[in-house]
Amino acid sequence: METSNTANSDKEYAAQYFGSVPSSFVDDLSEDSIDLVTNSLQAMKQQVMKKLPGRFVQSELDESFKKVEEKYQDNQEKIFEKLGSFLCAHILKIPSHVLLPEDEAWDGETSAGVASKLLTVNTEMEVMRDNIKSALYKKAVLSAELENIQEVCKKQEVVIEKDKELFQKHSVEDCKDLMDFTMQNKKGLVSKSKELEAVMGTLGEQGDMNSIVTKRKNQMIDSKLDNFVKKLRTGSVMCSK
């Protein structure tokens, strides 16, 4: 197990230096060699078919060259497998006493020191991970809140537009005009209320309304009261400036 881990470490360190796994170099060389042999056998078969026409059975010729190709390929794979093992073990290998320039920061460090630094880095990364999660959560909450505020603003703009239309309808252009408009309506309501109270008080002093007021006058009073109430409801009661 320990030997296997050491071999993997050596392979990874060599890959760090060469930029690729050393065995890939042998694999590329093996593929190129196999393709070269295959193309050569195909060229040989074409020459046999050209110079010896009618002297062979085509299916037998194809089968023979196929067997030769498979035999060559098997032998090549074995040869390059041995070559790859030798290169990785003795040539394309970083010696154990060699430290690559990018790893000079670890020069002189003990195993305990390296483990301590690794623990510190992992702790810092965990804190950063938690901070990122918190930031993402806050972003989601604030985004939702912003959407709500934007929706409220849209509704407020609609109300403001309606108020503007109402003010334009009654020729109210600024805050002072709005106050005057409100005070005029208030004065009108107070005045009409006093008139109504006076009418009702007079009728109360005269006793029973049905016995004193004629039917015609009673109808006139009811009509005026109805019109007055309608004006109050529609807001058309205003005092002139």
Side-chain angles (χ1 to χ4, degrees):
M1 184 67 180
E2 184 178 354
T3 303
S4 177
N5 292 335
T6 302
N8 290 333
S9 299
D10 293 342
K11 186 183 298 184
E12 292 174 359
Y13 210 50
Q16 179 180 337
Y17 178 76
F18 293 109
S20 62
V21 181
S23 60
S24 62
F25 169 75
V26 180
D27 293 338
D28 293 338
L29 184 61
S30 176
E31 291 177 1
D32 292 341
S33 299
I34 291 175
D35 290 339
L36 180 61
V37 172
T38 300
N39 293 333
S40 299
L41 291 175
Q42 290 295 327
M44 293 171 62
K45 185 171 72 173
Q46 293 296 328
Q47 289 296 322
V48 171
M49 294 170 59
K50 179 179 179 181
K51 295 184 177 181
L52 302 173
R55 299 185 183 181
F56 56 86
V57 178
Q58 184 65 40
S59 59
E60 294 180 355
L61 180 65
D62 295 338
E63 184 67 23
S64 298
F65 271 95
K66 184 178 180 180
K67 290 181 179 180
V68 173
E69 181 180 349
E70 291 176 352
K71 188 66 174 177
Y72 268 108
Q73 186 172 345
D74 290 340
N75 290 333
Q76 283 179 301
E77 289 178 352
K78 293 178 181 179
I79 292 172
F80 281 104
E81 183 178 356
K82 294 180 180 180
L83 176 62
S85 299
F86 181 81
L87 290 177
C88 293
H90 302 285
I91 299 178
L92 302 179
K93 178 184 177 181
I94 307 300
S96 58
H97 65 280
V98 175
L99 190 66
L100 297 179
E102 55 267 31
D103 293 330
E104 289 181 355
W106 300 101
D107 191 15
E109 286 286 350
T110 62
S111 299
V114 171
S116 177
K117 288 186 177 180
L118 179 61
L119 179 61
T120 302
V121 171
N122 289 336
T123 303
E124 293 176 353
M125 291 180 63
E126 188 67 26
V127 173
M128 293 177 61
R129 189 180 298 109
D130 292 339
N131 292 337
I132 293 173
K133 289 181 179 179
S134 299
L136 293 175
Y137 175 75
K138 291 180 180 179
K139 179 181 177 181
V141 173
L142 293 176
S143 298
E145 189 67 23
L146 178 61
E147 291 180 359
N148 293 334
I149 294 175
Q150 291 175 343
E151 186 66 24
V152 172
C153 290
K154 290 180 181 178
K155 293 181 179 180
Q156 289 179 342
E157 290 176 357
V158 172
V159 174
I160 291 173
E161 289 298 326
K162 291 182 178 180
D163 290 341
K164 287 182 179 179
E165 294 176 0
L166 180 61
F167 294 159
Q168 292 177 357
K169 180 179 179 181
H170 295 285
S171 301
V172 178
E173 297 181 354
D174 55 21
C175 184
K176 184 177 181 301
D177 292 338
L178 177 60
M179 295 299 295
D180 294 339
F181 173 74
T182 304
M183 293 303 297
Q184 287 174 5
N185 280 293
K186 181 179 180 181
K187 291 178 181 179
L189 291 174
V190 171
S191 176
K192 293 299 180 180
S193 297
K194 289 181 178 180
E195 293 178 5
L196 182 59
E197 290 175 356
V199 172
M200 297 302 295
T202 302
L203 293 176
E205 292 175 356
Q206 293 177 355
D208 189 359
M209 184 176 62
N210 291 330
S211 62
I212 299 175
V213 183
T214 64
K215 183 177 181 180
R216 182 177 179 183
K217 289 183 178 180
N218 190 19
Q219 291 177 348
M220 291 176 63
I221 292 174
D222 290 340
S223 177
K224 289 181 178 180
L225 290 174
D226 291 339
N227 291 333
F228 179 75
V229 172
K230 289 180 180 179
K231 290 180 180 181
L232 289 177
R233 289 178 177 175
T234 57
S236 60
V237 177
M238 294 178 62
C239 295
S240 60
K241 292 183 179 180

